[in-house]
Amino acid sequence: MRKHLLSLAIIAALGAPAYGAVLEGNALYETLFKSGTLSQMEEGDKLVYRREVTNKVKPETATRDTGNVVLSLEQGDALMANLEFRQEEKHRNLGSFPASIGNPMIMYFAETVARDMAETAGGSPFYIRNRLKEALVGAAEMAEGQADLDGAGIAVKTVVMRPFADDPNRDRMHGFEDLELIFAMSDAVPGWYLSMSAVTPPESAVGYRSETRFVAIEDAE
């Protein structure tokens, strides 16, 4: 089995993109939920992501939710993408999804953000989940740039959205009202997603940050 590690310098290399273009509707959906992102993978291949969480209001969640998420492919009646959460020797199954629909990591990411927000700020998790889903097919700012991947330059698209910017219940969100979702994506990264982040502003009392970033691929051979 061959394991390829990505230099973590790639995250820092993104810097602060100068957003300008706006993506809306189908264009945004097709960028975030790009089809065919797992088509080059084979049964037995694994994508390894690192999830790290900070939450000043509920600091215990950093220990509970920080760990690796491993996407593996398994052939059954159809090729399935299996997600597993790992913390040292502890492994927990997160679900299986048809690989034909693309990389399910974005759905997992959105679900964890909705859960974290509901646990911390209260309110209906269904309401929060629906607002996040609407944001993912609404409108967002986008920047295109370059990043360094193990010494080679790669093209990166970065999309940022603020799902609760115009929400009528902003004043009841206890620090999450200005939450930003930031997605960095590249064809040069297996599975498309380089990083997915949910961040509250520095001045927010909740101090929430959830980042899931791609760190390695393990080949079946």
Side-chain angles (χ1 to χ4, degrees), residues 9-19 146-147 158:
I10 190 171
I11 304 298
L14 290 172
Y19 298 101
Q146 294 283 316
T158 305

mmCIF file of all heavy atoms in Angstrom, residues 9-19 146-147 158:
data_model
loop_
_atom_site.group_PDB
_atom_site.id
_atom_site.type_symbol
_atom_site.label_atom_id
_atom_site.label_comp_id
_atom_site.label_asym_id
_atom_site.label_seq_id
_atom_site.Cartn_x
_atom_site.Cartn_y
_atom_site.Cartn_z
ATOM 1 N N ALA A 9 1.704 22.890 4.263
ATOM 2 C CA ALA A 9 1.976 24.265 3.845
ATOM 3 C C ALA A 9 0.963 24.746 2.821
ATOM 4 O O ALA A 9 0.782 25.940 2.627
ATOM 5 C CB ALA A 9 3.376 24.383 3.271
ATOM 6 N N ILE A 10 0.290 23.819 2.169
ATOM 7 C CA ILE A 10 -0.695 24.200 1.158
ATOM 8 C C ILE A 10 -1.832 25.018 1.753
ATOM 9 O O ILE A 10 -2.354 25.932 1.129
ATOM 10 C CB ILE A 10 -1.267 22.952 0.454
ATOM 11 C CG1 ILE A 10 -2.098 23.375 -0.756
ATOM 12 C CG2 ILE A 10 -2.091 22.101 1.381
ATOM 13 C CD1 ILE A 10 -2.501 22.215 -1.620
ATOM 14 N N ILE A 11 -2.194 24.744 3.001
ATOM 15 C CA ILE A 11 -3.274 25.494 3.640
ATOM 16 C C ILE A 11 -2.837 26.944 3.847
ATOM 17 O O ILE A 11 -3.546 27.888 3.518
ATOM 18 C CB ILE A 11 -3.661 24.844 4.979
ATOM 19 C CG1 ILE A 11 -4.046 23.370 4.761
ATOM 20 C CG2 ILE A 11 -4.799 25.600 5.625
ATOM 21 C CD1 ILE A 11 -5.230 23.182 3.861
ATOM 22 N N ALA A 12 -1.645 27.119 4.379
ATOM 23 C CA ALA A 12 -1.157 28.469 4.614
ATOM 24 C C ALA A 12 -0.929 29.213 3.308
ATOM 25 O O ALA A 12 -1.094 30.427 3.231
ATOM 26 C CB ALA A 12 0.139 28.412 5.419
ATOM 27 N N ALA A 13 -0.567 28.470 2.267
ATOM 28 C CA ALA A 13 -0.263 29.111 0.988
ATOM 29 C C ALA A 13 -1.478 29.758 0.360
ATOM 30 O O ALA A 13 -1.359 30.635 -0.482
ATOM 31 C CB ALA A 13 0.328 28.087 0.028
ATOM 32 N N LEU A 14 -2.664 29.327 0.767
ATOM 33 C CA LEU A 14 -3.868 29.920 0.199
ATOM 34 C C LEU A 14 -4.003 31.381 0.598
ATOM 35 O O LEU A 14 -4.587 32.181 -0.119
ATOM 36 C CB LEU A 14 -5.106 29.139 0.675
ATOM 37 C CG LEU A 14 -5.258 27.744 0.106
ATOM 38 C CD1 LEU A 14 -6.400 27.027 0.799
ATOM 39 C CD2 LEU A 14 -5.487 27.776 -1.391
ATOM 40 N N GLY A 15 -3.474 31.711 1.791
ATOM 41 C CA GLY A 15 -3.525 33.088 2.242
ATOM 42 C C GLY A 15 -4.953 33.597 2.334
ATOM 43 O O GLY A 15 -5.863 32.879 2.696
ATOM 44 N N ALA A 16 -5.142 34.850 1.995
ATOM 45 C CA ALA A 16 -6.463 35.483 2.011
ATOM 46 C C ALA A 16 -6.839 35.833 0.585
ATOM 47 O O ALA A 16 -6.445 36.873 0.059
ATOM 48 C CB ALA A 16 -6.449 36.732 2.890
ATOM 49 N N PRO A 17 -7.601 34.980 -0.105
ATOM 50 C CA PRO A 17 -7.955 35.238 -1.509
ATOM 51 C C PRO A 17 -8.759 36.523 -1.661
ATOM 52 O O PRO A 17 -9.509 36.909 -0.770
ATOM 53 C CB PRO A 17 -8.809 34.012 -1.877
ATOM 54 C CG PRO A 17 -8.461 32.977 -0.865
ATOM 55 C CD PRO A 17 -8.143 33.716 0.389
ATOM 56 N N ALA A 18 -8.577 37.164 -2.789
ATOM 57 C CA ALA A 18 -9.342 38.375 -3.093
ATOM 58 C C ALA A 18 -10.613 37.964 -3.825
ATOM 59 O O ALA A 18 -10.600 37.711 -5.024
ATOM 60 C CB ALA A 18 -8.508 39.317 -3.950
ATOM 61 N N TYR A 19 -11.701 37.865 -3.077
ATOM 62 C CA TYR A 19 -12.951 37.405 -3.662
ATOM 63 C C TYR A 19 -13.530 38.478 -4.570
ATOM 64 O O TYR A 19 -13.438 39.661 -4.305
ATOM 65 C CB TYR A 19 -13.956 37.068 -2.553
ATOM 66 C CG TYR A 19 -13.490 35.952 -1.665
ATOM 67 C CD1 TYR A 19 -12.949 36.213 -0.414
ATOM 68 C CD2 TYR A 19 -13.571 34.635 -2.092
ATOM 69 C CE1 TYR A 19 -12.498 35.194 0.393
ATOM 70 C CE2 TYR A 19 -13.128 33.603 -1.283
ATOM 71 C CZ TYR A 19 -12.591 33.884 -0.041
ATOM 72 O OH TYR A 19 -12.143 32.861 0.757
ATOM 73 N N GLN A 146 -3.624 30.240 -6.735
ATOM 74 C CA GLN A 146 -2.648 29.172 -6.774
ATOM 75 C C GLN A 146 -2.260 28.792 -5.352
ATOM 76 O O GLN A 146 -2.284 29.617 -4.445
ATOM 77 C CB GLN A 146 -1.393 29.617 -7.539
ATOM 78 C CG GLN A 146 -1.623 29.867 -9.017
ATOM 79 C CD GLN A 146 -1.726 28.587 -9.819
ATOM 80 O OE1 GLN A 146 -0.953 27.668 -9.637
ATOM 81 N NE2 GLN A 146 -2.699 28.537 -10.726
ATOM 82 N N ALA A 147 -1.901 27.538 -5.182
ATOM 83 C CA ALA A 147 -1.364 27.071 -3.914
ATOM 84 C C ALA A 147 -0.230 26.113 -4.213
ATOM 85 O O ALA A 147 -0.075 25.630 -5.339
ATOM 86 C CB ALA A 147 -2.449 26.382 -3.085
ATOM 87 N N THR A 158 -11.611 28.954 -4.270
ATOM 88 C CA THR A 158 -12.042 29.141 -2.887
ATOM 89 C C THR A 158 -13.385 29.854 -2.886
ATOM 90 O O THR A 158 -13.540 30.907 -3.501
ATOM 91 C CB THR A 158 -11.017 29.964 -2.092
ATOM 92 O OG1 THR A 158 -9.733 29.342 -2.182
ATOM 93 C CG2 THR A 158 -11.420 30.052 -0.630
#
